[in-house]
Amino acid sequence: MEVLQLEVLVPFLLILVVVAFLYASVGHGGASGYLALMALFTFPVLFMKPIALVLNIFVSGVSFWFFRKHQHFKWKLFYPFAISSIPAAFIGGYISVNAGFYKKILGFFLVFAILKMLNVFGGEKEELKENNLVISLLIGACIGLFSGMIGIGGGIILSPVIVLLAWGNMKQAAAVSALFIFVNSISGLIGFTINEGIVPLEVLYFIPVALIGGSLGAIYGSKKYSMNTLKYVLAGVLTIAAVKLFLV
């Protein structure tokens, strides 16, 4: 079954490469952006989740490699989140969600992504402190469950939490979020396929394009800050998608 007609494939791919670039520049896999695009291009809900998870795996993997290469990754900050999020993401991926309910949940998370893009949650703190193990485990479990359910890696939620709690700076949050997204996306995708979910072959068209954008974004973001103008444009795209999801 085709998820996209040929005449709109090219514009979709052109926007996809920009989305992957912007998300990877801040250590994210881009799932919320991919889901927003698929909503705008009226993809079947059945295919949105697996496509987003597959693209997430590739882009977040590349993003993590570059952020780790520039020594922004903190294992001690990462592993408490991952311990609880990986099994929770598997459960979330296994759960089948009603299409109407799925759109509303996705719309909510897109609103969260928009607020992050607009820096509503504030910047990094000057003084950093050690992360709390119990709180990290609880946060990881909650993010992992919802991430698996809707097809995101959870970095769009985790990174502002890390910065707000002063457990890491923006670069460290980006590096930790990139690996967090990578492992959660794999776990969620496994849960989805075990529950007889289907990954459309059309995703093979999207992977190379997302990898190009993601690689360039990760190189840029691991050295510099992301471009504000494009972030505001992306926030606009996410807003349109969120409104469509809430109204349809």
Side-chain angles (χ1 to χ4, degrees), residues 46-126:
L46 180 65
F47 292 153
M48 290 172 64
K49 178 175 172 178
I51 290 175
L53 287 172
V54 170
L55 296 181
N56 239 13
I57 292 168
F58 284 93
V59 176
S60 63
V62 169
S63 184
F64 170 69
W65 191 87
F66 281 104
F67 275 91
R68 185 178 183 277
K69 179 182 177 182
H70 290 89
Q71 300 181 342
H72 299 302
F73 181 70
K74 289 177 63 177
W75 171 257
K76 189 175 180 181
L77 180 59
F78 165 76
Y79 82 84
F81 295 117
I83 288 174
S84 57
S85 72
I86 293 174
F90 174 86
I91 295 170
Y94 186 86
I95 296 173
S96 297
V97 182
N98 172 272
F101 183 56
Y102 176 86
K103 290 179 179 179
K104 298 303 180 288
I105 296 177
L106 176 56
F108 171 79
F109 277 94
L110 287 185
V111 171
F112 195 95
I114 293 163
L115 294 177
K116 184 183 182 302
M117 287 282 174
L118 299 177
N119 295 320
V120 172
F121 300 110
E124 59 189 25
K125 306 294 189 298
E126 291 185 7

Side-chain angles (χ1 to χ4, degrees), residues 38-213:
M38 287 186 275
L40 287 173
F41 280 84
T42 320
F43 274 54
V45 172
L46 180 65
F47 292 153
M48 290 172 64
K49 178 175 172 178
I51 290 175
L53 287 172
V54 170
L55 296 181
N56 239 13
I57 292 168
F58 284 93
V59 176
S60 63
V62 169
S63 184
F64 170 69
W65 191 87
F66 281 104
F67 275 91
R68 185 178 183 277
K69 179 182 177 182
H70 290 89
Q71 300 181 342
H72 299 302
F73 181 70
K74 289 177 63 177
W75 171 257
K76 189 175 180 181
L77 180 59
F78 165 76
Y79 82 84
F81 295 117
I83 288 174
S84 57
S85 72
I86 293 174
F90 174 86
I91 295 170
Y94 186 86
I95 296 173
S96 297
V97 182
N98 172 272
F101 183 56
Y102 176 86
K103 290 179 179 179
K104 298 303 180 288
I105 296 177
L106 176 56
F108 171 79
F109 277 94
L110 287 185
V111 171
F112 195 95
I114 293 163
L115 294 177
K116 184 183 182 302
M117 287 282 174
L118 299 177
N119 295 320
V120 172
F121 300 110
E124 59 189 25
K125 306 294 189 298
E126 291 185 7
E127 282 191 42
L128 301 180
K129 50 190 177 183
E130 292 294 319
N131 52 308
N132 181 285
L133 178 60
V134 175
I135 296 176
S136 297
L137 290 170
L138 290 173
I139 292 172
C142 292
I143 295 176
L145 180 64
F146 283 103
S147 297
M149 284 176 62
I150 65 175
I152 64 173
I156 200 74
I157 304 171
L158 180 63
S159 57
V161 167
I162 291 174
V163 173
L164 281 171
L165 294 176
W167 290 350
N169 59 37
M170 289 185 178
K171 298 290 186 182
Q172 292 167 345
V176 168
S177 293
L179 187 57
F180 183 82
I181 292 165
F182 181 78
V183 296
N184 283 341
S185 297
I186 292 175
S187 181
L189 187 61
I190 291 173
F192 175 79
T193 53
I194 286 179
N195 194 25
E196 300 182 353
I198 299 172
V199 180
L201 291 177
E202 285 84 357
V203 74
L204 297 176
Y205 300 137
F206 310 149
I207 291 173
V209 176
L211 269 176
I212 292 171

